[in-house]
Amino acid sequence: MKVEETGLTRRALLGRAVAAGAMAVTGAGFIAAPDAARAMEVSVVSPAQMATLMQMARDVYPHDQVPDRFYAVSVKGYDAEDKKTLIDTGIADLDAAARAQGHADYLSIGWEEDRVKVLQAVEQSVFFQTIRAGLVTGLYNQKDIWPIFGYEGESFSQGGYIDHGFDDIDWL
Amino acid sequence: MATFDLNDDSVVVIIGTGAGGGVLANELAQKGIKVVALEAGGRYLPADFVNDEWDSFAQLAWLDTRTTSGDWRIAKDFSGLPAWIVKAVGGTTTHWAGASIRFQDHEWKALSTYGAVDGANLLDWPIDGAEMAPWYDKAEAKLGVTRTGDRPGLPGSNNYKVFEKGAEALGYKDVHTGRMAINSVEADGRMACHQTGFCFQGCKWGAKWSAAYTDIPAGEATGNLEVRDRSHVARILHDDAGKVTGVEYFDAQGILQMQKARIVAVAGNSIESPCLLLNSASSLFPDGLANSSGMVGKNYMRHTTGSVYAIFDKPVRMWRGTTMAGIVQDESRHDPSRGFVGGYELETLSLGLPFMAAFLNPGGWGRGFTTALDHYENMAGLWIVGEDMPQLGNGVTLSDAKDQHGLPVANVHFDEHPNDIAMRNNAYKQGIAMYEAVGATRAFPTPPYPSTHNLGTNRMSERPEDGVVNKWGQSHDIANLFVSDGSQFTTGAAENPTLTIVALAIRQADHIAGEMSRGTI
Ligand SMILES: Cc1cc2nc3c(=O)[nH]c(=O)nc-3n(C[C@H](O)[C@H](O)[C@H](O)COP(=O)(O)OP(=O)(O)OC[C@H]3O[C@@H](n4cnc5c(N)ncnc54)[C@H](O)[C@@H]3O)c2cc1C
Ligand code: SF4
């Protein structure tokens, strides 16, 4: 299946847009934040590789309420010389695994379930484990993501939760 | 603050300034004994603590190389991080949560009470509850433990209220907000808890007891205690007669120094203490210091642990408030009808989103994992802490890997005992039942974290052939060498260990002072 054949999903759009270097594509909330834009300006890896990494990040830790920019930030660090071999061979293997399951490549697969099957095929690889482990902090340790999950973080600056709801549960 | 000469051989040298070493240092200094405390980590006070999980971890945790082996899941998920221990003045009492409970009387006598257990190397402690009672009183007063003396309990947080309701639904009776080394009212010149929720990251109010800002400055104020931070002890030295004479350490500049000593007390936590004794091997002691029994590094225990997190259809916001102020004690009894010996405690626990992502199901990914985090706001959590079996094969040996000073590092080997597994499964079942009784829609039996309770690797024994130290923590082999941390534990009991480590340190200080004045050491 070709990228074009996957239709006009955000995902397919993203794949095509970055593959063509068309960074100006913006839809509703579409990687509009400045950090996401920065994250997408790649210098070592190719735009298609970055798009693959972003898709992979979302498939490994899918949160539908979390905008793309957070995923972009979480994989931006792989756009580096010392990561190039890992990314080149890792994505080549990922695409090979996708082909073995009858797809053109990983990015062109329309359904998350089908991409997950491809990821499961490479789950034991250093590439997969490096990306996954990196995301644990790369994604969830972005302070701006915390409010999406309701997590409030530190309270010292407001004098603790003692007057900010530490015991306010009302449904028990 | 005192400073002592490197050649002053009248000082007591203490290695490590955590629960054991920090308290021993102050107690000796209060008695007029000169102490040099060497601490591998730096000095951080409440103003320096960072209320952010990973930043705080980077600031305080012991991140020097360590290796792992064995069938425990840690060896796979966190192979370089067997334990969560702090490297700082005050040791792990900066990160600890403050749960402070006494051993039950029968737990001092595990072998007699439980009988021999296949594959376990159980032993009775050479001391008992009656002997320890007055020292526990002193330890509770020092730590300002709530619900002891006339100190009121802490108020219940959201996480506690869910826990309490579930516990009551199951018919549990011994349920309360814990005996915590956290001020529920202002005391000891320190504030009351403000429910900031970052007990694991160092209490920025100083409401939680930590040796870093209580015992250590108190000891320094006497003029008898010098704390040298960023001083990593490499080796304990001895003379031809087999008495210890001092230590070699790398100072803050990485330069090897030698401090003479009349007495050396090892308190580097249960991983570094045996590692140091093994690294101090010599022609006189080829198997390492104090190791005629062969027990140095053996019988490593980490408590049977695990967590249960559960999701509800409404918000809990468990991160608000004290991290561990909640306990169910009903399961801590010894009742072999449950299918295991010993017992366990259930204690409230919360992790922030970053740590939850790392620890809920290490290695997990995909929607099964992320839909759990999606409901983080609706989550409640508890932690299991139960007695695990000492096993000869579990423990610390010297690894082929080297640290930044070129010293062999600790390899931590751990295989789970069937008793540990049976206990954990029982505790998972009870924890899940508690939450389901309050309407949980999904529950997670979460595996143990890198070990926070590290015990037993220089154990206390009546007979020299069974262990490393006697009932005073004094090594059986070398009269002026002491062990002063959790590695002395003969068995682990169901309780969080620190109150007992502190009680033993206060008692040991008394003994050392007595022996010094009698001139026997
Ligand atoms: C997150 C967390 C929560 C916890 N909560 C609780 C709780 O609620 N209740 C409870 O009872 N316990 C709790 N604990 C456990 C408690 O912190 C430990 O049991 C206790 O601090 C151990 O005391 P220790 O003296 O053995 O070692 P530590 O307190 O770890 O001190 C050892 C010190 O020795 C230093 N050191 C090591 N090697 C060397 C060397 N070669 N040279 C110089 N210095 C060295 C280390 O840097 C460290 O500062 C918790 C632990 C953690 C991590
Ligand atoms: S909850 Fe209380 S004890 Fe814990 S860090 Fe905050 S103020 Fe300190």
Side-chain angles (χ1 to χ4, degrees):
Chain A
M1 207 190 336
K2 290 257 166 52
V3 169
E4 286 76 8
E5 293 164 7
T6 63
L8 292 176
T9 62
R10 280 173 70 213
R11 208 102 331 274
L13 255 178
L14 173 65
R16 283 207 300 276
V18 293
M23 295 310 303
V25 177
T26 51
F30 187 62
I31 57 169
D35 50 353
R38 257 203 313 282
M40 298 310 296
E41 284 164 17
V42 289
S43 56
V44 177
V45 301
S46 72
Q49 285 178 320
M50 186 48 78
T52 302
L53 287 175
M54 270 185 70
Q55 183 63 64
M56 186 175 161
R58 191 178 273 285
D59 290 337
V60 171
Y61 291 121
H63 294 288
D64 301 334
Q65 73 281 33
V66 170
D68 277 335
R69 64 175 186 278
F70 294 103
Y71 289 98
V73 169
S74 73
V75 292
K76 171 67 179 164
Y78 296 106
D79 183 27
E81 272 312 328
D82 63 336
K83 305 279 171 21
K84 192 167 168 18
T85 316
L86 175 81
I87 298 305
D88 283 351
T89 56
I91 291 182
D93 291 348
L94 182 67
D95 285 336
R99 281 192 298 277
Q101 294 185 15
H103 309 286
D105 57 23
Y106 173 76
L107 201 55
S108 66
I109 302 171
W111 287 94
E112 180 183 319
E113 285 86 340
D114 294 332
R115 288 191 303 272
V116 165
K117 283 185 197 131
V118 173
L119 290 173
Q120 281 164 345
V122 301
E123 191 179 353
Q124 301 307 324
S125 67
V126 172
F127 169 69
F128 180 90
Q129 286 304 333
T130 305
I131 301 289
R132 188 205 59 73
L135 284 169
V136 173
T137 46
L139 186 62
Y140 298 107
N141 207 31
Q142 294 179 51
K143 284 190 175 47
D144 295 345
I145 216 174
W146 296 349
I148 300 174
F149 294 88
Y151 179 52
E152 299 161 302
E154 73 85 26
S155 65
F156 178 71
S157 60
Q158 51 175 349
Y161 287 114
I162 194 159
D163 295 321
H164 293 88
F166 85 100
D167 63 349
D168 66 355
I169 195 162
D170 59 4
W171 54 264
L172 277 169
Chain B
M1 206 198 299
T3 51
F4 297 107
D5 194 87
L6 289 171
N7 288 313
D8 186 342
D9 60 4
S10 70
V11 301
V12 175
V13 164
I14 299 176
I15 303 159
T17 56
V23 168
L24 179 67
N26 180 31
E27 292 288 319
L28 289 175
Q30 298 294 336
K31 295 176 197 298
I33 295 168
K34 292 184 284 181
V35 178
V36 173
L38 300 170
E39 168 55 55
R43 212 183 253 261
Y44 306 91
L45 290 171
D48 306 317
F49 295 150
V50 188
N51 279 183
D52 176 289
E53 291 178 312
W54 286 117
D55 287 351
S56 171
F57 192 78
Q59 180 188 43
L60 297 172
W62 183 284
L63 300 172
D64 297 9
T65 308
R66 278 173 182 152
T67 60
T68 47
S69 55
D71 69 10
W72 56 334
R73 202 172 142 176
I74 293 290
K76 173 173 161 282
D77 296 328
F78 301 99
S79 60
L81 191 75
W84 179 359
I85 290 178
V86 170
K87 183 181 182 179
V89 172
T92 316
T93 67
T94 52
H95 266 192
W96 82 315
S100 301
I101 41 182
R102 299 183 181 204
F103 277 28
Q104 304 164 74
D105 281 345
H106 71 266
E107 290 173 325
W108 297 102
K109 304 294 167 194
L111 179 58
S112 313
T113 312
Y114 310 155
V117 173
D118 257 3
N121 195 20
L122 284 172
L123 189 69
D124 289 348
W125 287 67
I127 50 180
D128 59 21
E131 157 96 42
M132 287 306 293
W135 305 104
Y136 270 138
D137 290 344
K138 287 185 205 292
E140 285 167 349
K142 177 191 284 288
L143 270 52
V145 179
T146 58
R147 285 197 174 76
T148 70
D150 54 6
R151 290 168 285 267
L154 286 160
S157 67
N158 291 333
N159 198 29
Y160 174 73
K161 288 181 174 178
V162 174
F163 174 92
E164 180 189 53
K165 183 120 192 245
E168 283 166 0
L170 261 59
Y172 286 141
K173 296 280 178 286
D174 204 354
V175 185
H176 53 82
T177 58
R179 284 188 278 282
M180 305 297 295
I182 295 178
N183 279 350
S184 51
V185 292
E186 217 176 287
D188 193 28
R190 293 183 288 111
M191 305 179 57
C193 172
H194 278 230
Q195 304 288 338
T196 48
F198 281 83
C199 306
F200 280 1
Q201 282 68 39
C203 179
K204 286 192 75 67
W205 306 98
K208 181 188 78 178
W209 178 86
S210 166
Y213 44 81
T214 58
D215 278 72
I216 286 165
E220 287 172 329
T222 65
N224 296 320
L225 169 62
E226 178 185 357
V227 176
R228 289 183 208 150
D229 63 353
R230 299 184 194 277
S231 297
H232 187 118
V233 177
R235 201 153 70 102
I236 301 168
L237 307 169
H238 63 80
D239 60 18
D240 293 343
K243 271 182 57 181
V244 299
T245 53
V247 301
E248 279 179 350
Y249 67 96
F250 290 96
D251 70 12
Q253 282 70 47
I255 298 164
L256 196 63
Q257 304 282 3
M258 203 262 279
Q259 172 66 54
K260 290 192 174 163
R262 174 169 172 186
I263 292 170
V264 172
V266 187
N269 201 315
S270 281
I271 296 185
E272 294 312 312
S273 289
C275 187
L276 182 58
L277 293 175
L278 295 173
N279 268 331
S280 301
S282 64
S283 51
L284 189 59
F285 299 113
D287 299 325
L289 289 194
N291 199 18
S292 66
S293 63
M295 290 297 148
V296 170
K298 303 280 170 62
N299 307 305
Y300 171 65
M301 295 170 289
R302 58 177 313 242
H303 273 138
T304 296
T305 75
S307 306
V308 176
Y309 293 97
I311 293 174
F312 297 84
D313 59 347
K314 297 195 189 62
V316 176
R317 302 190 179 101
M318 65 173 170
W319 65 86
R320 295 181 184 170
T322 43
T323 305
M324 203 173 261
I327 192 166
V328 168
Q329 301 208 266
D330 299 64
E331 300 286 0
S332 65
R333 70 193 189 280
H334 169 58
D335 172 8
S337 75
R338 290 173 299 179
F340 52 88
V341 301
Y344 61 87
E345 314 274 355
L346 298 171
E347 298 170 352
T348 56
L349 178 67
S350 85
L351 298 179
L353 183 74
F355 271 14
M356 191 59 78
F359 296 122
L360 177 67
N361 182 16
W365 60 279
R367 284 196 186 260
F369 179 81
T370 54
T371 51
L373 291 183
D374 284 339
H375 301 289
Y376 174 75
E377 205 174 357
N378 294 8
M379 238 184 223
L382 64 81
W383 194 58
I384 299 156
V385 49
E387 177 158 12
D388 64 337
M389 291 295 107
Q391 299 180 72
L392 257 188
N394 283 352
V396 172
T397 52
L398 296 180
S399 169
D400 295 333
K402 301 266 165 49
D403 71 5
Q404 63 276 25
H405 304 296
L407 301 167
V409 301
N411 180 69
V412 184
H413 181 95
F414 193 86
D415 293 323
E416 299 209 272
H417 189 279
N419 198 75
D420 306 348
I421 296 169
M423 180 186 289
R424 177 179 304 122
N425 287 338
N426 183 278
Y428 279 152
K429 181 168 69 71
Q430 294 307 110
I432 290 171
M434 270 170 61
Y435 287 133
E436 284 180 342
V438 204
T441 54
R442 193 174 165 198
F444 308 89
T446 291
Y449 313 124
S451 314
T452 56
H453 297 176
N454 297 280
L455 305 167
T457 48
N458 292 306
R459 75 177 182 183
M460 195 182 268
S461 66
E462 185 71 55
R463 301 185 320 152
E465 52 270 42
D466 293 332
V468 179
V469 298
N470 68 15
K471 65 184 210 165
W472 305 108
Q474 182 176 27
S475 79
H476 286 300
D477 298 350
I478 303 174
N480 65 338
L481 176 63
F482 286 77
V483 174
S484 316
D485 58 16
S487 67
Q488 299 172 80
F489 278 37
T490 310
T491 52
E495 291 73 26
N496 313 57
T498 306
L499 181 74
T500 303
I501 296 174
V502 169
L504 288 171
I506 300 172
R507 177 172 166 275
Q508 187 180 67
D510 213 52
H511 177 75
I512 290 176
E515 295 298 301
M516 284 176 83
S517 62
R518 281 187 286 278
T520 52
I521 45 175

